[in-house]
Amino acid sequence: MYSDKVMDHFQNPRNVGEIEDADGVGTVGNPTCGDLMTIYIKVKDNVIEDVKFKTFGCGAAIATSSMITEMAVGKTIEEALEITRNDVANELEGLPPVKMHCSNLAADALHAAIDNYKEKIGEKKPEDKCKDVCSCGK
């Protein structure tokens, strides 16, 4: 049912925790399944240099949170915004269809953290861009 990569990220999640002085924080949830994710980012010279997460949810939610942190670290803000829901699932070598909403949350949480960072530095995000890649409602 789950790939070895999903199981590895669930059993050995990377980058768990929070960044106290985070430059951006994004929290998203799915009321249907009860999953809740918070992503913290630290940015230097427009590059995400640290990412941490806290997730309350199923194994797939934990695995996608772990994976998104690995995918985002070292990327520019613009590159990180290009990470889609499907990218997360593909990096994990697939998720069962019933668990695809978990990969949506991971991408949405990262995008929300970036939006929060942009707000803090006085930059507005293009509204249409977010609608193309996430369902965070912004």
Side-chain angles (χ1 to χ4, degrees), residues 3-37:
S3 72
D4 289 342
K5 211 166 188 182
V6 170
M7 292 306 295
D8 181 43
H9 276 270
F10 166 62
Q11 293 172 334
N12 306 292
R14 285 68 151 176
N15 306 305
V16 176
E18 61 186 87
I19 300 172
E20 289 296 326
D21 59 344
D23 294 317
V25 179
T27 300
V28 297
N30 183 325
T32 303
C33 65
D35 292 343
L36 182 67
M37 293 180 186

Side-chain angles (χ1 to χ4, degrees), residues 55-90:
T55 293
F56 176 81
C58 65
I62 292 167
T64 58
S65 297
S66 175
M67 178 54 75
I68 197 85
T69 65
E70 287 200 329
M71 294 174 72
V73 75
K75 296 220 181 334
T76 66
I77 292 297
E78 295 76 20
E79 291 168 337
L81 279 172
E82 295 295 321
I83 300 171
T84 67
R85 306 164 179 171
N86 286 335
D87 293 335
V88 178
N90 290 340

